[in-house]
Amino acid sequence: MGSTGLLRTFDLEWTTAMLELVELTKIEFPRQIESWPTKLDQFKRIYVLYLQVFRKLEDAFDQIIHPQKRRFAWKALEACIGRMLEVKGWMVGLNENKEYFNYDDILMELHLPLDKLDITPPRFLTDDSKEMFKAREAFLIQAHSDAEVARTKVQAEKEAAAKAAADFQARKNRTEVLAPPPPLTEEECILIIQAEERGRQSRMKIKELEKQKRMQEVELEKQRSGQKPLTKDTAVGVLQRVARGFNGRLQTEALVLDELTLIHMNNFLPPDPNDPRIKLDSTLKKRKELQLINELEETDAMVETKEKIKELEAQEMREIMQERINVWLNVNRDPEFNEYPPFPKVNQGGSRDIIDPPPQLWRPEDEKKKGGDDKGKKKKPKKGKHGIRMPSEPEADGEDVPLCPNYFGRHIKRALEAYIETWHDKDDYNNHQQKYIPDILKNTLRPLVFEEVRIEVDVGSRELLVQLKKKIAADAKEAYKIALKAARKEGKEKEFKAKVKTEKLQAKKDKAAKIKAKKEAAANEPPPPPPPKDPRKKPKRKKDPTEKESVESLTRELASEGIMRVCPKRSFDEYICQDYLRGVAPDPVKDWLIDNSMAHAKRLTIEYAVLPLASELVHKNAPFVRTLLIHGGRRTGKTLL
């Protein structure tokens, strides 16, 4: 398969996954809120569909070499992983915290084989972080070696100290000091060497005699048993039998290899260079290299494109922002006291809400009026952000039906909207090398430039506001001096000062009354609903004693104590397992009694321990478990998992 064919293949897979995601959102979030899924069987079907979309998006994201397409595919993949974990956590809650689910009826309905339930760990977790993993492994190995050297040094020092203490105690208990023996003379050394050499020769001679004795015993045993000694003809027969046996074994081995080759199970042959699987692997590796090259080219082009946008559009952005800020200052200016409103602080977002004000939240009229009567009035269904319908409030005589958490639904909608706006019906077939598209790059960088310009405009607006306040104060002071001078000429200085003092006191009273009226009006309005509490929020704990320690020092200390070790390299592909069909209708009462398959254990391990680490957004907002217990019989793969 050529590179163009692969290009079209993964682009088509991405398009198919996005279209399936659109249909899935229609199934999960229909227009009629009463039709939203609430039963376990409905969520099981939705989970299986999300799993199929995840498999396609992960495969496409791994092999698409266009850097901008990968970025859009990543948004959809991240949202799909988070939504899949949300649905799975809700299913466990509906199933009374039981984690086994029977998908036989869903697979039969969707015409899917059993292997479509397999979850593969996302390849970007390892492929995009290879350098980091290598550096971490080298750091751990070095930390362990340093710790071993330190332990060896300490042990040697202890042994030397113990030996010195023992020698000191021996010298202390000794009554008399023995003189060292005199050195050997040359004649004594020669005698010792001669004795050692004679002993060595004697030992070699004894070994030879023992060998001859054993051979004689063997010959004697043959004569006693009636066995005749080998002649020339019998020796030739023995050699022929050995040679024929050797040739027969070679022929049998060749026949076995031919049969294994015929059924494609011969692992002893060298790899065939024309094997399509080898060509596919090499092509996929080349695509990984092209991914890196294209991303580096896009990164280099970002700097130049950003400067061009600043040069061509920054001035227009600055003028629009300054105009909107000036309008806001004039509209909110207090004409009575001639005061400008305080400019929003940096931690409050600055002028972001001034330039692009947020949409007004819809609130029913009867909620705005204190003590209003709601009888006979139908409340409109609430709409969340990005057009996703939120469940309506239950009526007084109805029951509150719990609905699945829907944090990642908005992210899925954003990803779909971005895909439809940018890539749907866009033909880039002539872009064979899959380089970045300048127009899309400009649209991506324009909000970043807009934010940088907004921050600069905020700094200038704050300075301008300070200067305006100073100018107003200076003008008021100058007007006061002119009026005072005129009053002195007319001889009414005291009356003028008393009048000014009275006006200031009255202005203070009016200002206080205005502030009080605002507070009373705000108190009469119904308070906004409190934000939902995060059940995963940790209670306040004591101060961390390792807060000032770096990660490297903590890791080195854990490695030196033997707590953190270098894990052997393993892959989920080594855990060979297979799911099975029960062949009976699902029974929620008896399903938990079924002995789960090893494929189910593998799938749960990936869902609980791998997928929540896909990204920071998924880890913070998707349901996850803090600890995982794997139990089962001996030699079932618990350690490997």
Side-chain angles (χ1 to χ4, degrees), residues 28 286 364 620:
E28 190 176 7
K286 290 179 181 178
K620 284 185 177 180

Side-chain angles (χ1 to χ4, degrees), residues 244 384 417 502 577:
R244 287 171 184 163
E417 289 175 352
T502 305
C577 54

Side-chain angles (χ1 to χ4, degrees), residues 602-630:
K602 177 181 176 181
R603 186 163 59 247
L604 283 179
T605 305
I606 297 174
E607 287 175 344
Y608 286 150
V610 179
L611 292 184
L613 304 177
S615 69
E616 186 177 359
L617 178 68
V618 174
H619 183 66
K620 284 185 177 180
N621 300 286
F624 67 95
V625 295
R626 298 187 181 277
T627 55
L628 190 65
L629 174 64
I630 302 177

Side-chain angles (χ1 to χ4, degrees), residues 24 50 193 248 254 257 264 288 290 309 339 343 373 390 440 500 509 522 564 608 641:
L24 184 52
Y50 269 120
I193 294 173
L257 292 177
H264 302 286
K288 286 290 183 183
L290 289 175
I309 294 174
E339 291 182 355
F343 201 81
D373 190 7
M390 302 303 292
I440 298 178
V500 170
K509 290 180 181 179
M564 185 178 289
Y608 286 150
L641 280 181

Side-chain angles (χ1 to χ4, degrees), residues 526-542:
K533 294 183 178 179
D534 188 0
R536 301 176 299 177
K537 190 175 181 180
K538 299 180 181 178
K540 290 185 178 180
R541 297 183 178 180
K542 296 181 180 179

